Amino acid sequence: MSAAAATDAPSQQLLAQLLQLVGELKNEQKDLLGKVENYQQETKSSIHAIQERMLLNSAAEAGLVPDDKALTHRTRKYKVYASDNIADSDSEVESFNSKSPRSHGVSNGSLSMSPLRGMAGTTPTGGKPGSTKNGLYNYRIVLTTYPGQVGINPIPLTWGAADPALRGPIVASRHPSSLRVRNAIGAHGGSYCVYRALAIASGDLEPSHRPDLHNTEPVVRIGPHPAWGSPDRIVSIDPFGHAVADVFAKQLADGVDVRPTIAITKAHMKLIEMEDAIKKGRLAVDGKVVVNDAGDLMVTKGAVDPVWYLPGVAQRFGVDEATLRRALFEDTGGMYPELITRPDLKVFLPPIGGLSIYIFGKPEYLSDPSKSLTVRVHDECNGSDVFGSDICTCRPYLIYGIEECVKAAQNDGVGLIVYFRKEGRALGEVTKYLVYNARKRAEGGDTAAAYFLRTENIAGVKDMRFQALMPDVLHWLGITKIDRMISMSNMKYDAIVGAGIPIHERVPIPPDMLPPDSQVEIDAKVAAGYFSHNAAPIDLEATRGRTWWATG
């Protein structure tokens, strides 16, 4: 034997031993995997059996199945997937289950649930039967989707394209005809999408209902305007949201559920303050804008639901898109998982309030730089705007803005009120009323010095209206300048001017229109930088609000 052969013998023996060990490890691993799978199956079966018994017992208590069936009747399963192929029917689901692997390695987990709507052809609350023969929904629940799945083919969308054919329709509907091609996250209707779900659950609305858009087109022509073709100028409104029946007629005819997000109509506005303005000679009846002695006003009005282009919204707030998506998901209790799993979908319909516009005079004058334009951008305040609370200036300032808009229209100009649903500085009315309590119970009284502090103590921030998105509606209307801005807000002024729309004159609320208990708010805001003609220093500690028990 050569020296080289003698040297290789131990190495070959060691290699053989290693290969034997590897083989033994593989066999042990295979056995272990088998045991784990058996354990998982046994556990799943046990959980299913327990859930079935619990659900059937509950159904029996509700009178939906006989008591003697509660422990023996087999319920139908709702399968819950984090991701799966899109299917329209139970039989199609079974076909996918037998032929297609799960996307992205997500296991075929299932959760046993009782489809109570399908039991005995009734609903748990005694409402109408479900819309399918087996219940309201088929038994498969899709928690989210991913790009590239079988059956997922979003309609192309080019945000900022001036041509609607190139831009493409925004489709968020889960209607069977649109589910595979939807290119937006969320649901139509803003905050009212939840009520739509309730209507479906109660049996009052068919989930497959599609709106009949016949005769719903705008009463006046809006646009197109140059800003519609800029992906940066408008990021929170669909510029074609009012014209879907026209510009996306082909898609509608093909069965795609494209829905308007903007509606434009006409109306008479009746406010007791306008009648008073006529009696005192501040307004005149012209039969066009002010139509009679009762102060009725002719207006063109519109409603706008939010449609967010997420990259543009992120840019406005100075954050990256991933952070925005994560915050919208995490800090809303896991709202819309597709915010995380579908980075290819760039449009989001948030479940928040939208805005209204009220145009006084000719709408086409809004985009005519030769015409004088008066504007008030107003954020909702239910307590004052509707019910007349005197702790703030909201309704008086809104009324003053409307009166000034009417005067502009009667002087061959145009007026515009933009009304945003941002109750309580977008903190909500509950928070606002908590702040009122804290202010009135504060040691030393309700002072202007502590006005913003009380809000920050409760909400953590003094204002969440974030006016960064507000100018979009002005761009949508084709506005290129504002002659008179009826507002003291520095945030609104900075946002509008920063968006490239100059403001020639800022108009504060007249002192004689301040409600009795609103001086605390005004002084605090002026001290914080709000616009005012009063340059005198304000003693914030001396400005105090009325106590609850005071009568004056």
Side-chain angles (χ1 to χ4, degrees), residues 57-65 124:
N57 287 337
S58 297
E61 291 175 2
L64 297 173
V65 297

Side-chain angles (χ1 to χ4, degrees), residues 111-180:
L111 172 63
S112 179
M113 297 175 66
S114 176
L116 297 182
R117 283 187 67 94
M119 290 185 177
T122 186
T123 67
T125 57
K128 300 175 183 178
S131 60
T132 68
K133 64 180 180 179
N134 294 319
L136 179 60
Y137 304 105
N138 64 39
Y139 69 82
R140 178 174 167 279
I141 302 173
V142 178
L143 296 181
T144 192
T145 59
Y146 290 88
Q149 281 180 244
V150 176
I152 295 289
N153 188 26
I155 293 175
L157 186 67
T158 305
W159 190 270
D163 182 354
L166 178 60
R167 204 295 299 275
I170 291 173
V171 182
S173 171
R174 296 183 66 86
H175 188 279
S177 66
S178 305
L179 185 59
R180 299 171 184 268

Side-chain angles (χ1 to χ4, degrees), residues 390 392-393 396 488 509-519 521-523:
D390 72 345
C392 63
T393 61
M488 298 171 66
I509 186 172
D512 61 355
M513 294 189 71
L514 293 178
D517 200 28
S518 68
Q519 195 65 50
E521 173 198 309
I522 285 294
D523 284 1

Side-chain angles (χ1 to χ4, degrees), residues 84-339:
D84 207 338
N85 302 310
I86 298 298
D88 296 330
S89 66
D90 293 348
S91 59
E92 194 172 349
V93 172
E94 293 301 333
S95 175
F96 277 139
N97 289 347
S98 62
K99 296 179 181 179
S100 303
R102 300 293 166 207
S103 301
H104 300 271
V106 178
S107 64
N108 182 1
S110 63
L111 172 63
S112 179
M113 297 175 66
S114 176
L116 297 182
R117 283 187 67 94
M119 290 185 177
T122 186
T123 67
T125 57
K128 300 175 183 178
S131 60
T132 68
K133 64 180 180 179
N134 294 319
L136 179 60
Y137 304 105
N138 64 39
Y139 69 82
R140 178 174 167 279
I141 302 173
V142 178
L143 296 181
T144 192
T145 59
Y146 290 88
Q149 281 180 244
V150 176
I152 295 289
N153 188 26
I155 293 175
L157 186 67
T158 305
W159 190 270
D163 182 354
L166 178 60
R167 204 295 299 275
I170 291 173
V171 182
S173 171
R174 296 183 66 86
H175 188 279
S177 66
S178 305
L179 185 59
R180 299 171 184 268
V181 298
R182 58 194 293 268
N183 56 13
I185 303 166
H188 284 285
S191 59
Y192 296 101
C193 66
V194 176
Y195 289 100
R196 180 179 182 275
L198 289 176
I200 292 172
S202 65
D204 291 318
L205 175 65
E206 286 292 327
S208 60
H209 173 76
R210 289 176 55 194
D212 179 358
L213 299 180
H214 179 63
N215 281 339
T216 63
E217 62 272 10
V219 297
V220 296
R221 182 181 178 87
I222 302 291
H225 297 296
W228 294 19
S230 171
D232 301 324
R233 288 296 179 92
I234 300 177
V235 301
S236 62
I237 294 172
D238 176 9
F240 305 104
H242 62 305
V244 298
D246 178 22
V247 299
F248 300 123
K250 181 182 183 303
Q251 290 87 343
L252 287 166
D254 290 342
V256 180
D257 190 9
V258 188
R259 302 198 177 195
T261 55
I262 301 174
I264 308 293
T265 188
K266 284 185 176 181
H268 279 198
M269 176 186 289
K270 188 174 184 65
L271 296 167
I272 188 66
E273 290 91 343
M274 296 302 107
E275 183 178 4
D276 183 66
I278 292 172
K279 291 178 179 179
K280 293 181 177 179
R282 298 197 306 270
L283 291 180
V285 177
D286 62 356
K288 296 179 180 179
V289 182
V290 182
V291 298
N292 54 37
D293 290 335
D296 291 357
L297 308 177
M298 176 64 75
V299 297
T300 301
K301 64 180 183 178
V304 182
D305 281 340
V307 178
W308 288 3
Y309 177 58
L310 290 172
V313 173
Q315 184 179 25
R316 292 278 182 93
F317 284 88
V319 301
D320 59 88
E321 184 185 345
T323 298
L324 174 64
R325 287 174 175 264
R326 186 69 181 270
L328 290 172
F329 175 74
E330 294 280 1
D331 294 302
T332 56
M335 174 181 67
Y336 298 117
E338 285 177 324
L339 287 164

